[in-house]
């Protein structure tokens, strides 16, 4: 069943990078907003006369905590009606119309194989939700590799948090990858070389890909060429 539209109130806005902001949104009509890590909400923004052309979907970056405040992380896209509205008009106290949660890009019921989370940009959002959920509930898991690609170190989202999680969550490895900078301690290039090296011996694995279509399509193609079954590859496309 499709969730009903409801009111959201922006409680906080924080500039995360030069072109990315974090938004905390309270859902006053829902005392407990229950969702699965990896799901998204859809917003109805006043940017077009046709309703379905006003809808924009964003993955929830926070993990379920029994409350009714969720976090979204949104990158400004030049010429994009939705992000232009967000960056110019949405402030603390702004009211939004949204529905959710929706989506099936979620953790496996049982994490029975090594898990590779591969993302670029704000594609980190569902994985941040998942990893925090795994830690919070002490879920059984094998090795988890979070491979996060950006242009520069300044573009990395949740950098300190993910490094802290790496230090305390067993078998969790964070792999930041920079395409435009060479910095000691960071991979240089693109996400593809990292998972190809890690999976050179073709371990049993489950892959989750999230980000811009070009990266996701390329990663899926390479993983299939490596011999992985398409059933082990799950996608969430942005744009």
């Amino acid at each position: 069943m499709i969730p009903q539209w409801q009111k959201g109130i922006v409680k906080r806005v924080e500039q995360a990078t030069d072109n990315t902001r974090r938004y905390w949104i309270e859902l006053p009509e829902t005392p407990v907003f229950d969702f699965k890590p990896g799901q998204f909400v859809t917003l109805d923004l006043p940017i077009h006369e046709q309703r379905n052309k006003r809808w924009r979907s964003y993955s929830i970056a926070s993990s379920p905590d029994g409350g009714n405040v969720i976090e979204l992380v949104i990158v400004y896209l030049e010429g994009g009606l939705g992000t232009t509205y967000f960056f110019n008009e949405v402030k603390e106290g702004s009211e939004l119309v949204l529905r959710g949660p929706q989506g099936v890009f979620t953790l496996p019921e049982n994490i029975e194989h090594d898990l590779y989370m591969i993302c670029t940009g704000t594609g980190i959002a569902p994985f941040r939700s998942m990893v925090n959920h795994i830690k919070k509930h002490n879920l059984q898991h094998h090795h988890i590799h979070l491979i996060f690609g950006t242009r520069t170190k300044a573009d990395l989202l949740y950098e300190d948090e993910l490094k802290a999680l790496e230090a305390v969550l067993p078998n969790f490895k964070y792999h930041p990858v920079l395409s435009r900078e060479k910095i000691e301690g960071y991979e240089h290039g693109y996400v593809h070389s990292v998972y190809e090296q890690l999976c050179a011996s073709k371990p049993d694995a489950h892959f989750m890909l999230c980000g811009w279509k070009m990266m996701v399509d390329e990663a899926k193609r390479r993983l299939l060429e490596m011999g992985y079954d398409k059933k082990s590859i799950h996608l969430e496309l942005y744009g």
Side-chain angles (χ1 to χ4, degrees):
M1 186 174 71
I2 298 176
Q4 297 295 309
W5 294 99
Q6 61 179 303
K7 179 173 70 174
I9 300 175
V10 178
K11 305 301 289 185
R12 180 180 164 199
V13 180
E14 180 181 297
Q15 193 78 29
T17 71
D18 285 347
N19 65 346
T20 307
R21 290 180 186 169
R22 299 168 66 183
Y23 295 84
W24 285 262
I25 302 170
E26 181 184 33
L27 307 170
E29 299 165 15
T30 307
V32 177
F33 186 75
D34 192 25
F35 64 95
K36 295 179 180 179
Q39 290 191 300
F40 63 86
V41 292
T42 298
L43 289 93
D44 184 353
L45 303 174
I47 55 176
H48 200 279
E49 291 182 359
Q50 288 182 239
R51 194 174 193 191
N52 63 352
K53 291 187 177 180
R54 302 198 304 255
W55 296 348
R56 297 293 186 274
S57 296
Y58 300 100
S59 295
I60 302 169
S62 48
S63 57
D65 61 3
N68 67 344
V69 176
I70 59 172
E71 180 187 336
L72 306 181
V73 58
I74 298 175
V75 61
Y76 176 73
L77 179 63
E78 188 171 354
L81 294 179
T83 59
T84 297
Y85 177 80
F86 252 96
F87 275 64
N88 290 344
E89 305 296 336
V90 177
K91 302 172 176 61
E92 289 185 17
S94 295
E95 290 193 8
L96 299 167
V97 177
L98 59 86
R99 71 180 179 194
Q102 293 175 271
V104 296
F105 187 74
T106 55
L107 282 170
E109 285 290 326
N110 298 299
I111 308 174
E112 298 175 337
H113 304 293
D114 290 350
L115 183 58
Y116 289 81
M117 301 173 170
I118 304 167
C119 60
T120 51
T122 53
I124 189 69
F127 297 143
R128 186 230 185 184
S129 178
M130 292 176 191
V131 174
N132 275 301
H133 184 75
I134 289 169
K135 178 182 179 295
K136 186 182 300 181
H137 295 279
N138 195 27
L139 298 184
Q140 294 294 311
H141 61 275
H142 291 252
H143 289 91
I144 299 174
H145 294 274
L146 174 53
I147 304 169
F148 180 23
T150 63
R151 292 181 177 181
T152 69
K153 185 176 184 295
D155 296 322
L156 289 168
L157 298 162
Y158 308 112
E159 166 85 341
D160 293 340
E161 178 183 313
L162 293 171
K163 285 184 174 180
L165 278 168
E166 184 179 33
V168 298
L169 182 60
N171 296 324
F172 171 63
K173 180 65 177 174
Y174 168 56
H175 304 268
V177 188
L178 311 178
S179 63
R180 301 281 179 88
E181 288 182 334
K182 289 185 178 180
I183 299 177
E184 186 176 352
Y186 294 80
E187 302 280 354
H188 174 67
Y190 297 96
V191 294
H192 309 295
S193 60
V194 178
Y195 64 76
E196 286 178 334
Q197 182 177 357
L198 291 169
C199 297
S201 62
K202 201 171 177 289
D204 287 338
H206 183 93
F207 298 90
M208 304 188 78
L209 318 176
C210 186
W212 295 109
K213 186 177 187 301
M214 185 179 298
M215 182 282 290
V216 170
D217 287 349
E218 176 74 5
K220 180 181 178 182
R221 181 185 65 78
R222 291 186 183 219
L223 290 168
L224 291 173
E225 288 179 353
M226 291 170 68
Y228 283 102
D229 191 289
K230 65 180 180 181
K231 292 180 181 178
S232 68
I233 305 169
H234 298 266
L235 320 175
E236 186 86 325
L237 296 175
Y238 285 7

